[in-house]
Amino acid sequence: MLTLPPGPRSQLWSLIGYLRDPIGCMVPLARKYGDPFSFPGKPPMVCTGDPAGIKAIYTAETDSFAPLSKDMAVFLGRTSLLLIDGAEHRRLRKLMMPPFHGARMRAYGEAICHLAERHTAGWKPDQQVMAYEVAQQISLDVILQAVFGVSEPARKAALAGLLLELINGFSPLLVLLPSLRRELGGVGPFAAFLRRQRLLHEQLRTLIAAARAAGPREDILSLLVEARDEEGQPMTDEEVMDQLILLVIAGHETTAISIAWALYALHRPENAAALERLRAELWALGPDPEAEKLDKQPYLEAVCHETLRRFPLAPAPSPRRLLRPLELMGYTLPAGVGVSVAIGVAHFREDLYPEPLRFRPERFLERKFTPFEFMPFGGGARRCLGAALAGYEMRLVLGTVLRRFRLRLASLRPDTGKVRAANVGPAHGVRMIVEERLA
Ligand code: HEM
């Protein structure tokens, strides 16, 4: 008989718990059942937020895991990086990585600051702004430029419109409950989603054909169409399209949510000292600092880390299915079982983060955390491909906005988050009032 760690018995209750309190739902489970703990299901899933268990998962041999389910193929495409494994996964990652690192990534620095300025240029005192929406526009522009090499405004706007329509059609219920995915003679949310998907695919096919005809450029679309396998074969249109969609989905809502959470946390009255300390650091830079200088500010970096700790994008992202047995904290988990790192437990451990619910950026100045204690971008062979770009973009956008405006929250009601498609974000988008435009 299979012996898995204890855990809740009802899948439905676990789902309700997640929808009710998506950030905090895992902590009481770890307290009640111990760590690791299991969720029922086909297959069952074992979660851990203990650094020893997390280390066992992230340092296991790379071919120990496959994605837990191919269920998301209908949204992401069959050949999406997120859903493939083994050698094919490694090959694609290697190909897609360079633009998100080092000098290639830093080349976007001035553009990111410029976009943050442009999208906030019209803000006036007493105006209400939705922090999440503005951050989403900025991060979508950044990712479109990196992925498609498109900076021409009209083309960018047309593409952005189609992509946003598709992403906004990802209702969390459609994602969580496959039984709701029915076309119903062309009516209902799933049919609408498929219509938008077809339109987007048509546009992307045109862009891919143009990139194949144009020859090598710097953007990811060009890298993907130029790539050849060992037999000299290029990727198919479907393969290229699936990676483009994944990068846009994974690369913009995530960063926008984290920027919005940072603004939310900094403007809570109990965190006024953190906001003032950050302002002082940013103001000491003098007028018009370069992106590189803005990026090097230690308190700004600590604020971003603390935001990613306190507001993880998912309590247990990206589960994996074991392809071979794994030793996990005294259990021998058999092949076939799902495993997941419970970021929503690890980031709230009292022993690592005293008073874990408090937003206290100083903890990241006082000590260093290992990749098994702090993992907002996951870890191992599937660590977030865009981690460096996401952190860079967060620092530059926050630095630029906070140097230019004094803001306050429109409502002081605490926000415990809500499930938006695949990620957990602020429930009301963080409504803010512009108090003052700073000279
Ligand atoms: C604050 C922003 C972001 C956060 C918190 C975040 C977080 C994550 C997490 C937790 C994972 C799963 C890792 C694992 O399985 O261990 C992931 C995967 C991924 N992320 Fe991000 N991400 C962010 C921004 C981005 C950006 C900007 C990009 C685009 C360049 C991106 C592209 C990806 C891709 C492609 C994967 C799948 C990697 C694979 O399966 O090999 N992410 N991200």
Side-chain angles (χ1 to χ4, degrees), residues 16 76 105 131 164 230 244 263 265 268 286 312 317 323 357 368:
I16 293 171
L76 296 173
M105 178 193 82
L164 278 185
E230 293 91 68
L244 297 176
L263 287 171
R268 298 280 316 161
L323 297 176
L357 296 181
K368 286 222 173 314

Side-chain angles (χ1 to χ4, degrees), residues 31-311:
R31 232 174 253 147
K32 181 166 176 191
Y33 299 104
D35 189 334
F37 55 96
S38 308
F39 284 103
K42 288 189 179 125
M45 186 168 82
V46 177
C47 290
T48 177
D50 187 302
I54 295 171
K55 187 170 181 185
I57 295 175
Y58 284 166
T59 58
E61 281 188 42
T62 45
D63 288 333
S64 304
F65 308 104
L68 181 64
S69 105
K70 308 269 181 190
D71 187 46
M72 289 295 281
V74 61
F75 298 105
L76 296 173
R78 227 171 24 97
T79 69
S80 175
L81 181 78
L82 213 56
L83 304 179
I84 56 173
D85 45 73
E88 184 54 13
H89 174 255
R90 283 196 292 279
R91 189 185 85 91
L92 251 187
R93 261 188 84 100
K94 216 165 138 195
L95 192 71
M96 292 161 72
M97 189 73 95
F100 297 114
H101 277 271
R104 290 273 292 279
M105 178 193 82
R106 295 195 172 271
Y108 305 128
E110 296 303 329
I112 295 173
C113 294
H114 178 71
L115 284 167
E117 280 167 21
R118 216 186 69 208
H119 283 286
T120 54
W123 286 7
K124 296 194 174 60
D126 296 329
Q127 183 184 341
Q128 181 169 298
V129 293
M130 193 71 94
Y132 171 67
E133 276 174 15
V134 179
Q136 195 185 28
Q137 287 158 3
I138 297 170
S139 55
L140 187 60
D141 271 358
V142 172
I143 200 78
L144 287 181
Q145 205 159 318
V147 172
F148 297 97
V150 180
S151 53
E152 195 245 303
R155 272 183 67 206
K156 200 157 63 177
L159 195 58
L162 278 174
L163 283 158
L164 278 185
E165 266 194 36
L166 184 84
I167 293 165
N168 294 337
F170 272 43
S171 127
L173 285 178
L174 281 180
V175 174
L176 294 168
L177 301 172
S179 55
L180 297 182
R181 298 178 203 159
R182 291 174 199 277
E183 283 205 65
L184 301 171
V187 279
F190 190 57
F193 167 78
L194 291 180
R195 269 196 306 278
R196 291 188 200 116
Q197 193 180 47
R198 278 191 287 270
L199 265 179
L200 178 65
H201 283 179
E202 263 170 43
Q203 286 275 329
L204 290 180
R205 281 211 172 82
T206 313
L207 278 172
I208 292 168
R212 289 201 199 280
R217 288 186 317 233
E218 284 278 282
D219 52 85
I220 300 196
L221 168 55
S222 176
L223 282 176
L224 294 176
V225 298
E226 292 297 318
R228 296 291 178 270
D229 64 16
E230 293 91 68
E231 278 114 54
Q233 290 304 310
M235 291 167 76
T236 62
D237 279 8
E238 183 193 7
E239 285 171 322
V240 175
M241 213 153 53
D242 289 351
Q243 314 323 317
L244 297 176
I245 293 177
L246 171 64
L247 284 175
V248 175
I249 293 176
H252 92 285
E253 189 188 64
T254 46
T255 317
I257 284 176
S258 302
I259 292 170
W261 276 131
L263 287 171
Y264 165 80
L266 284 167
H267 290 85
R268 298 280 316 161
E270 62 274 22
N271 302 328
L275 180 61
E276 278 324 301
R277 184 166 175 186
L278 179 57
R279 277 193 190 294
E281 184 183 79
L282 295 173
W283 274 89
L285 295 174
D288 294 326
E290 287 174 354
E292 285 318 296
K293 207 163 165 200
L294 200 52
D295 183 44
K296 296 280 170 319
Q297 301 312 306
Y299 198 69
L300 177 59
E301 185 178 39
V303 163
C304 294
H305 283 341
E306 179 67 343
T307 304
L308 292 166
R309 177 197 73 82
R310 177 61 185 80
F311 304 98

Side-chain angles (χ1 to χ4, degrees), residues 283-362:
W283 274 89
L285 295 174
D288 294 326
E290 287 174 354
E292 285 318 296
K293 207 163 165 200
L294 200 52
D295 183 44
K296 296 280 170 319
Q297 301 312 306
Y299 198 69
L300 177 59
E301 185 178 39
V303 163
C304 294
H305 283 341
E306 179 67 343
T307 304
L308 292 166
R309 177 197 73 82
R310 177 61 185 80
F311 304 98
L313 283 182
S318 187
R320 294 137 156 96
R321 183 169 53 86
L322 282 177
L323 297 176
R324 58 177 74 159
L326 178 77
E327 291 297 324
L328 188 91
M329 303 176 72
Y331 291 88
T332 305
L333 305 181
V337 161
V339 288
S340 181
V341 166
I343 297 182
V345 174
H347 283 191
F348 296 96
R349 287 177 66 103
E350 287 273 358
D351 57 342
L352 295 173
Y353 306 102
E355 296 183 84
L357 296 181
R358 258 187 77 193
F359 182 81
R360 211 175 71 79
E362 283 73 9

